[in-house]
Amino acid sequence: MADHAGDHERLDLSRLHHFHGGLKLPECKAAATATPLRTLPVPPRLILPLQQHIGEPARPVVAIGDQVRKGQLIARAEGYVSVPVHASTSGRVTDIGDYPVPHPSGLSAPAIVIDSDGDDTPVAGTPHGDYRSLDPSELRNRIRRAGIVGLGGAGFPTFIKMNPGPHKPVDLLLINGAECEPYISCDDMLMRERPQEVIEGIHILMHALQVGTCVIGVEDNKPEAIAALEQTVAADHRLGDIRVQAIPTLYPSGGEKQLIRILTGREVPSQGLPADIGIVCQNPATVAAVYHAIHRNEPLISRIVTVTGTGVEAPANLEVRIGTPMRHLIEACGGYTPGVDRMLMGGPMMGFALTSDALPVTKTTNCLLATTREELPPPEPPRPCIRCGECVRVCPAQLLPQQLYWFAHARDFDKAQDYNLFDCIECGCCAYVCPSRLPLVQYYRFAKTEIWAQERDRIKADIARQRHESRQERLEREKRERAERLKRKKQAVREGDDNSKQAAIQAALERARARKQTGADSPEKSD
Amino acid sequence: MEFRTYSSPHLSGTNHVGRLMRGVMLAALPGLILAWWFFGWGVLVNLVLAVSTCIGAEAAMLRMRRRPVRVTLGDGSAALTGLLLALALPPFAPWWIPVLGALFAIVIAKQLYGGLGYNPFNPAMVGYVVLLISFPREMTLWAPPQELADARLSLVQTLAWSLLGTLPAGTGIDAISMATPLDTIKTQLGLGLTLTEIQAGPRFGSLGGYGWEWVNLGFLLGGGWLLYRGTIQWQIPAGFLGGLFVMALLFYAADSDTYASPLFHLFSGAAMLGAFFIATDPVSASTTPRGRLVYGIGIGILVYIIRAWGGYPDGVAFAVLLMNMAVPTIDYYTQPRVYGQGGE
Ligand code: SF4
Ligand code: SF4
């Protein structure tokens, strides 16, 4: 493997590259982009999970009964990989406890509940001056304090991505506006309607990263967004090379690794990060949030969500406060249609199914997709793999999905790792084309979870083995010591008179009694 | 409101095993019709016998193995095995030839290994090779193209021959059957004739054997449609035909009196049927893109070797089975380079 750190080849943006495989999918984006972006009113109650990002959950700094204002810190970051949570409106904290959250596991997690007072009173904040007067580490801190995470779906804390370390010079800021999954259009609408927020945010990030070049990659099925961005860039006379690049519409071009390959021809090393090859990649909504945080001193308390699918009457894109229960979004879109069958968060390829619409919108909720049976029929019963190789043809990670399936199925996890299971991005291309309708991705997730669990078990087992070994050693030592004592005693008995014999017996009896009293704690007994 | 949950991806394409198999069967139609046209009703009698035996055997085996019968039969793979076997059999085979071959293909080569997806060998070719080794005489009862035959059997007469072994009065089996062109070349070269002399005979056409070249063209057409539809990928047919062509070209260039031309090889015997329909059986073929090319080339070269120097006139079945054995190794050494793992 080439060592990319520090000495990657010169950036060449003159032509587009291809990634392997991929799919042409039905786009289904028109319904939600037909009407302009709307702002949803603040709901009477907000549920704010403490973990809306990858990393450690935030820790509450408010108590039940506290009055809070819009934008006020209510939970602080805990540890390095963590970000704080802010009140999305003003009101009273009415509960801190476990609530169902949108997560593939369907489990509940700690959250802070705020009942709105209807005034939406903001905390008194002072907008800071020019961002250019701030140094990169101060900008990163402010971005962290604003609670900003990747809004494209993964929710990785943004400030960490902006700190690749001293040995990884960054030469490109990449804005991932591909939005390649069907149905989702929140980034499209943002780029169409608020391109200046995106461009302003880019300037801040370029300053914070000290890079001179930024490319915004947008799939060519979004001509309005491309035009809006291009106009804004053309009217911008500041330093810095910002380009808008249309790329062919092909799923998953918005996968970070795939987009990097398309635009630069470079590949993120396996198990590595874009920063290893000099690239930092951000989503347009994240960049707009950075703009709000730095220019207006507003933390991340709202986002744009696409509400769509044939399961809702009037699909639209809504700007909503974080913590808004999802059913308010559905109501704002005219409610459900009679045939509604499933609800997904995210797109139909990588999103996950929700159990209920009472769950809150979080920082990573990019799309609510309510579908009917006709639109997304329930899965067909799988048949055996016929080794047709269709999955190989479409896999953007250039894996052998059928082999991974085979090993995952046989629970041969070592082999699955030999076949690069952890390079799978779970894009679902393989399952989409599989003529045997195998739930391939489900198997890969299963295998990954099992491997992580084994890893944890191994660490535990290592500790247990160390404990066992030291105990074994101790027992050996004690046995040796006992034997020594016995030998000495025998010697004494043989050499001494009856008195000393008597004394020895007496001592032994006393020891035995004492041992009985300490009971099970004595090493001989616990064996 | 509460909802049902499933695992991602939630969207799926229209690809389906049954659809694939039916597509392949449909694509075999032009070749099948031409074979019937040139070689008579025996082709269709074989087809009906082989396909119905395959389906019956598959159903019985599935019931014994307690697997869902109707759903599994719906994948069409048993019928396709029957079809491919029938296309490889001589038109004047007695009824038990297609039946035995089909039984062997489904029961031994497919179901005993675990059914569709688990068979390491191409079932139709296993059936064919077992027949070829066990019943060499019956397996050479090829029909000449109709214009060349002394007598031609009607459907009823064909049935009578296949089922009862009776021929119309005054006709011997020698009058209606004839060796294949590949066979002819083999025996007559052995008699010391040159290729030019042999190929001057009426059973040779402008590309391959007379009639045979048309049947091969039919399969080429169907194969092209499968490629266009994306049912099969180009690597295996290209490797197969390329391997065969290059081998034939080398020896033809060296000695055109002993070695037939590359075009003759491409349009004779089971070349096109093998390249597009038999070697592309996904279950027993290599699955990596580069592996498939290697696999195809291997078959092409082996077909030539068996045709030129082996004990049998055509070698598609043996070549396919031999390469089936090499598949695990080929797959292992031709894994694609994974994204982000450098190289190439
Ligand atoms: S697409 Fe499905 S049937 Fe085909 S090789 Fe892959 S897993 Fe097997
Ligand atoms: S889900 Fe994984 S194995 Fe399947 S196509 Fe995507 S990257 Fe490849």
Side-chain angles (χ1 to χ4, degrees), chain A residues 385-391 402 434-436 438 440:
Chain A
C385 166
I386 58 166
R387 296 169 40 91
C388 65
E390 278 299 286
C391 48
Q402 87 283 13
C434 177
S436 292
L438 289 161
L440 298 168

Side-chain angles (χ1 to χ4, degrees), chain A residues 194-222:
Chain A
R194 303 172 182 173
Q196 62 295 342
E197 292 186 4
V198 177
I199 302 299
E200 288 300 327
I202 287 174
H203 278 295
I204 298 169
L205 287 186
M206 288 172 77
H207 176 67
L209 289 163
Q210 302 287 306
V211 295
T213 314
C214 171
V215 178
I216 312 171
V218 187
E219 273 193 348
D220 57 12
N221 61 357
K222 298 181 238 324

Side-chain angles (χ1 to χ4, degrees), chain A residues 491-504:
Chain A
Q491 200 126 9
V493 169
R494 220 177 298 137
E495 283 172 1
D497 53 16
D498 278 37
N499 259 353
S500 60
K501 205 175 197 174
Q502 206 66 29

